[in-house]
Amino acid sequence: MGIVRISSLLIGVSLLMACGGGSNSTSDTGTNPGTNPDPGNADAGCTGSCASAASFLTANDVRKVIAQAVNEAQAQATPVVVAVTDRVGNVIGVYRMNGAAPTVRIGSDRGVVGGLENLDVPTELAAIAKAVTGAYLSSEGNAFSTRSASQIVQDHFNPGEDNTPGGPLFGVQFSQLPCSDLSMRFNGAPRVGPHRSPLGLSADAGGFPLYKNGVPVGGIGVAGDPDYTLDANILDRDRDIDEFAAWAGTFDFGAPSNRRADRITVEGKTLRFTDVEFAQLARDPATAPGFDSIAALGSVIEVKGYFGGAIVDGLAFGQQASGIRPDTADYAGLDAFVLDDGAGNNRYAPRDGTDGASALTASEVRTLIQEALAVANRARAQIRQPLSTPARVSVSVVDTTGTILAIARARDAPIFGIDVSLQKARTALLMSSASAAANIRSRDTVNFFNVDLDLDGARANLVTVGTSEPGDYVDRLQAFLGLPNAFTDGAIAFTPRATGNMARPFYPDGIESAPPGPLSNPFERWSPFSTGLQLDLVYTTLALHVAFYLQQIGLAVNIDGGADLPALSDVPMNCTGIASLANGIQIFPGAVPIYRSGNLIGAIGVSGDGIEQDDMVSFLGLHNAGVKLGGAIGNAPSAIRSDNLVPQGARLRYIQCPQAPFIDSNATQVCEGR
C-alpha cells in the first residue's frame, strides 16, 4: 500500500469533527427529507424509566445493524468500517468491508497549518469514536448524533453565524479520552462502564444512537468517506456516505422521532440530527440481506484494546453489570444512580478528603451530592423532551489533590457527562489553586507528530512537526489579566466558564475582531484540531497511545527516524501528568470551587443538561449544602470570584444561571446574592 500519513494525536484523540464536504459528500439546499418509515422510531413516551434488564443489543441485533449499514454502503459503492457499541461504551461489533480505506483524513478546510490538520486517522478507530459519541450523548429524553455534536463545538453557534459565541459544548471533544482515570478499558468481554473512546468524542457525520422501545441501547459509527472534517455551513443538507450507511444501520433501532435533536432547541436554535432520511437511501434497509449473506463483502475484525473480534451481546444500562445502577445507600429519595464495580460496590461512594485537617468529610460530600441532585430534580431540562422533564446530570466532587470523593447521577443522564463532570470539577480546582502555574509549567515541551506509515514495510515513523511550551500559556494569561501572580497565589476563584472564556479564539467570545484568549491559539492557527492549552496538556500521553496502538497491529515504531521503540504498555490512566488533573481540563460551564473559611478545599462539577443548568446545579447545590451544614462549606467569597476581573474591557464570567429555572416555582434570578 506504500506510504500513508496518519495522525499521531488524532489516533489518540480525534476531536469532535463534523461531517460535510469531501469527495463522497455534496450539499443540497433544496431537498425535502421526506418522512421516516422506520417502525422503530415511534414515541414510546419514555422519560428515563423505561430501561430494564431487557434493554440491550443482542448479538443478532448487532449483526442486523451491521448488515443494514453494509448493504447501503455497497449500494453507494463506498466500502466502510462499521462499529457498534452498547450504551456504556463496550464495543460489541466491528466490521470492515473489503477495500475500506485504512485511514480517513482530518481537516477544517480553513487553511490552518499544524495541529491535527491534514492528518489521517485509522478508519476503525474513527468508526468506534462515532458509535461511542452517538451512545454517550443520548438518553431516553434526547437523541443526539455526531452531526448534532458538530453544531455545538465550533467557534460560533450556529456555525457560520458571524460574531456569535462559541458552541455551548465547546471543548467537549477532549473528553472520554483513552487515558482517562475514570473510563474503563477493554479486557476481552463487555464489562462495567463507562468506557473510553480511542479518539475522544467525534462529530464527523456517521454516528447515531441506537434505541429499542424508546430506550437507548448503544450507538453505530461508520467511517469510510475519505474526509473527516467540519460542517461549517449548516444551512444546507450534506450528502455524506458515512451518514447514509449509518442511518441505514439504525433501521428498526431508530431514535423516537420526538426525541431527536431536531426537536430540541438551545438558545432558540434548533439542533441538527441527520441530513438523510430513509426515503433517500439507495436501498430499503427493511429488505437488507442478513448478516451471513455479506460474508464475501468483508469481515469482523479485532481492534486491539477495544474489541476482541467476536460479535457479542451488549449490557443493559441501569443494571449492576453495566456499571451504572440505582443508588441504595447514600441518596435516598433523589432517584440517584451510581457507578458500580460489577460486584455491587459503589466505585465512588462518599469519602473523606485526602488533603489535611480542613478536608471535606464524607458526610459533607454526601450532603453536597444530595443538594446538587435536589436542585437538578427541580430544574427544568434544556436539552430533553418533554419540556416538563427535570434536568438529568452527573455530579462529581473532588478534593484539592483531584481525588474523587463521590460521583452520582440523576436517572437517565447522558453518559458523556460522567467523565465531563469530573473534568469540570478538576478544572475549577486546579485553576483556583496556588499551584496552577507550577503544574502547567511542569509539563515538558510538547512535540507534535505526524506519522509516516509504511504498511508494506510494517513501519511507522513519528515525525516531529512542531512544539509547544505549556508555560507560555501562563505567561500570556498573567499579561492578559494584568496580574503577575495569577495562577500562583490562589487569590482568584476560577470556574470552567471563566477558564473557557479565556480558551476561545476570540475574547470576548465570538467577536471576530477581538484577539484570542490567552489559553487559546490565535485564530489563524486555531481549529477544533489545533486549540491551545486544553489539547497541549493531553497531547503527549495521547501520542503514546498512538504508538502503542501501532505496535499492537504489528508495526515497528520510531521517532524522527531513530531506533525502534521498545514494546510499549498502554497509556497510564493520567492524561496530563498532573496528579490533580488526570483526565484533562474542560472549558465549558458547569463547576465551582469549594471553600471553607475562605480556603480552597475542593470543587464540584456537573454535566449532562444545558450549560446554564449545569452552572446552577453546581453553584446552588454547593450553596444549599453550605446552608444545611451551618456554613461549614460554601462558594468562593464574592470578592475573589473571577467576575471581578475585566480584561480588555470585557468582564470575565464566573457562572450564569437560567432566569426562571424551576418546574415547581416561578422564582427568577435564583443565583443572585449567593
Side-chain angles (χ1 to χ4, degrees), residues 313-487:
D313 293 346
L315 300 179
F317 176 80
Q319 307 297 309
Q320 179 176 302
S322 75
I324 299 173
R325 49 110 174 139
D327 166 68
T328 57
D330 293 300
Y331 313 111
L334 294 168
D335 198 21
F337 281 62
V338 296
L339 276 62
D340 193 278
D341 65 0
N345 304 305
N346 183 352
R347 287 173 60 191
Y348 301 112
R351 57 169 291 185
D352 292 338
T354 64
D355 47 354
S358 295
L360 285 159
T361 67
S363 177
E364 290 172 334
V365 171
R366 184 178 296 105
T367 300
L368 269 169
I369 298 279
Q370 290 171 343
E371 293 301 316
L373 290 175
V375 173
N377 287 343
R378 293 183 60 207
R380 184 177 292 105
Q382 178 172 314
I383 60 168
R384 302 175 68 85
Q385 293 284 358
L387 295 177
S388 60
T389 306
R392 307 297 197 186
V393 299
S394 295
V395 185
S396 295
V397 176
V398 299
D399 67 13
T400 58
T401 71
T403 299
I404 302 170
L405 302 186
I407 295 177
R409 41 188 279 111
R411 173 180 294 275
D412 196 43
I415 302 298
F416 85 95
I418 303 173
D419 187 65
V420 170
S421 69
L422 180 58
Q423 288 182 316
K424 290 180 181 181
R426 286 171 167 167
T427 301
L429 181 282
L430 179 74
M431 301 309 184
S432 301
S433 73
S435 61
N439 274 303
I440 294 170
R441 292 188 192 280
S442 73
R443 299 300 86 213
D444 293 334
T445 299
V446 179
N447 292 292
F448 299 112
F449 299 110
N450 289 348
V451 178
D452 288 333
L453 183 62
D454 182 355
L455 297 180
D456 290 337
R459 302 192 64 79
N461 181 30
L462 277 66
V463 180
T464 302
V465 295
T467 63
S468 170
E469 295 293 342
D472 289 348
Y473 292 101
V474 176
D475 296 338
R476 291 198 290 268
L477 177 135
Q478 291 171 341
F480 173 80
L481 295 178
L483 298 172
N485 293 325
F487 276 21

